[in-house]
Amino acid sequence: MSAHAVRTGVWFIGARGSVATTATAGCAAVAAGLHPAAGMVTETAPFAASGLPPVTSLVFGGHDTLDCPLPKRAEALAAGGVLPHGLPSAVRSELAAADAEIRTGGPLPGDTRTDEELIAAFTADLTDFTSRHRLARTVVVNVSSTEPVPAADAVRLPASSLYAAAALRAGCPYVNFTPSTGLRTPALQDALAASGLPCAGRDGKTGQTLLRSVLAPMFVQRALPVRAWSGTNLLGGGDGAALADPAAAAAKNAGKERVLADTLGAAPEGEVHIDDVPALGDWKTAWDHIAFDGFLGTRMVLQTTWQGCDSALAAPLVLDLARLLARAHERGLSGPRPELGFYFKDPDGGPAALSEQYLALLDFAERLRGDR
């Protein structure tokens, strides 16, 4: 069956958050020709013959614990400069259609359902969505707020793992764009292996860590020892509020530190600090201070400043990943896909340098080619 004759579901965990709203509105805008597909690597020439589902074929739904309708959420993002002025009105029908497919997530405070009952409920939502829309497949993408790392003696699965388990049970490829646990728990490894499904993660690489993954190899390749690498993030919005929790911030920073340790061979001195600044809304400023040695031990410093909107940076990557995993599933590929490490701070294996990850992604694009 032709990839252009079928539709593909994209099921967001955190479907009313900034990233999911931006991705949903942005996909509608690109499909209608209202805006170019800036930031979507899968819309570049090397992927033209990979058989990816077209953006016009994507159908959106998801889980969330919030009740703000997507059109209203999009209007708020436009007021904050995240979405272009007038876009929420232009794609209101697409946003309303996606909002009608959002189901209540959990567990909510006071929810007495067991893990198994929650997984069963989430699975039913996924299978119903796929069946009603006659979708070829549905890709589940976690873009919800960062969770703290579960305690070693935790009895219950974290929410991200409940959703991941439901994805496996419903036969859906799974993407974890957050630092949360998701599939990376021993409790789900047997189910993942038996599912035959492709998956990708963890923790999308959008701003500060993207820049780190470019700069760190430069120091290694030019034989310049890095003495210290410190960073600060100032951000607001839902991410800022979630990462004000020290446990959630620690989970987020683990991926940032891994990029440096993997590339430099050891973690340099220095830490990343995350400060919640509600006045910034969905915008973020990331500052890095890199101390390194030059020839004859000359002490030098490189400082970088990254200012941007995480939602607008993440949304095209999320759409890329949904399309790539849908095609991988169609081609019969299964298990963690290290070729998609290009998109993640904490990938499923593969090289850490962005240039090497990009070459691995291009090889993957070639592998996806074939009968559509």
Side-chain angles (χ1 to χ4, degrees):
M1 182 181 292
S2 168
H4 294 276
V6 300
R7 296 194 297 169
T8 298
V10 179
W11 187 269
F12 287 126
I13 308 305
R16 290 191 172 110
S18 296
V19 174
T21 305
T22 304
T24 303
C27 184
V30 171
L34 300 177
H35 288 274
M40 287 187 67
V41 180
T42 52
E43 284 294 290
T44 60
F47 297 85
S50 295
L52 305 182
V55 292
T56 53
S57 75
L58 302 182
V59 181
F60 295 94
H63 281 115
D64 209 319
T65 56
L66 303 177
D67 57 7
C68 179
L70 276 183
K72 186 175 181 65
R73 186 75 181 92
E75 289 171 1
L77 291 175
V82 178
L83 295 179
H85 177 71
L87 182 61
S89 296
V91 298
R92 177 172 291 276
S93 62
E94 290 89 342
L95 290 169
D99 190 70
E101 297 297 339
I102 297 176
R103 302 295 178 259
T104 302
L108 294 166
D111 195 332
T112 60
R113 288 176 293 176
T114 65
D115 285 358
E116 174 55 33
E117 289 171 332
L118 287 162
I119 293 169
F122 299 156
T123 302
D125 291 336
L126 280 165
T127 54
D128 174 66
F129 173 71
T130 304
S131 175
R132 281 189 297 102
H133 290 281
R134 299 182 180 179
L135 305 174
R137 58 193 47 84
T138 296
V139 180
V140 175
V141 185
N142 182 15
V143 287
S144 60
S145 297
T146 300
E147 295 173 339
V149 176
D153 59 351
V155 176
R156 299 288 300 266
L157 286 173
S160 65
S161 296
L162 298 175
Y163 291 118
L168 297 181
R169 195 172 295 184
C172 299
Y174 175 82
V175 177
N176 188 2
F177 205 73
T178 80
S180 302
T181 304
L183 286 174
R184 292 198 190 176
T185 172
L188 297 182
Q189 293 313 295
D190 288 345
L192 173 60
S195 71
L197 295 167
C199 61
R202 172 174 69 171
D203 197 4
K205 183 164 55 185
T206 55
Q208 182 182 44
T209 311
L210 176 65
L211 192 58
R212 287 179 166 209
S213 67
V214 173
L215 290 175
M218 176 193 74
F219 289 105
V220 173
Q221 292 161 6
R222 293 296 297 268
L224 298 171
V226 174
R227 293 185 291 109
W229 198 315
S230 301
T232 294
N233 277 259
L234 308 177
L235 70 161
D239 268 358
L243 295 175
D245 178 354
K252 183 74 172 178
N253 284 337
K256 294 178 180 288
E257 293 167 358
R258 176 182 169 174
V259 168
L260 295 182
D262 285 355
T263 306
L264 301 176
E269 293 182 6
E271 298 178 347
V272 177
H273 296 277
I274 301 177
D275 294 330
D276 178 25
V277 184
L280 292 179
D282 286 282
W283 296 83
K284 180 173 79 171
T285 296
W287 172 74
D288 272 25
H289 183 283
I290 308 160
F292 65 99
D293 290 339
F295 190 52
L296 305 179
T298 305
R299 296 292 180 92
M300 304 186 195
V301 168
L302 172 65
Q303 296 185 36
T304 67
T305 302
W306 178 290
Q307 293 179 305
C309 173
D310 254 6
S311 300
L313 291 165
L317 308 184
V318 165
L319 295 173
D320 277 354
L321 285 161
R323 299 172 76 199
L324 287 163
L325 270 201
R327 178 59 172 162
H329 185 234
E330 183 181 11
R331 295 286 286 161
L333 303 180
S334 63
R337 306 312 314 173
E339 307 94 336
L340 300 181
F342 174 78
Y343 292 97
F344 298 102
K345 298 182 182 73
D346 186 12
D348 297 306
L354 192 70
S355 58
E356 296 174 16
Q357 290 175 332
Y358 181 63
L359 293 177
L361 180 63
L362 294 184
D363 287 342
F364 190 57
E366 286 287 340
R367 186 177 180 187
L368 294 179
R369 295 187 183 200
D371 294 335
R372 298 189 181 187

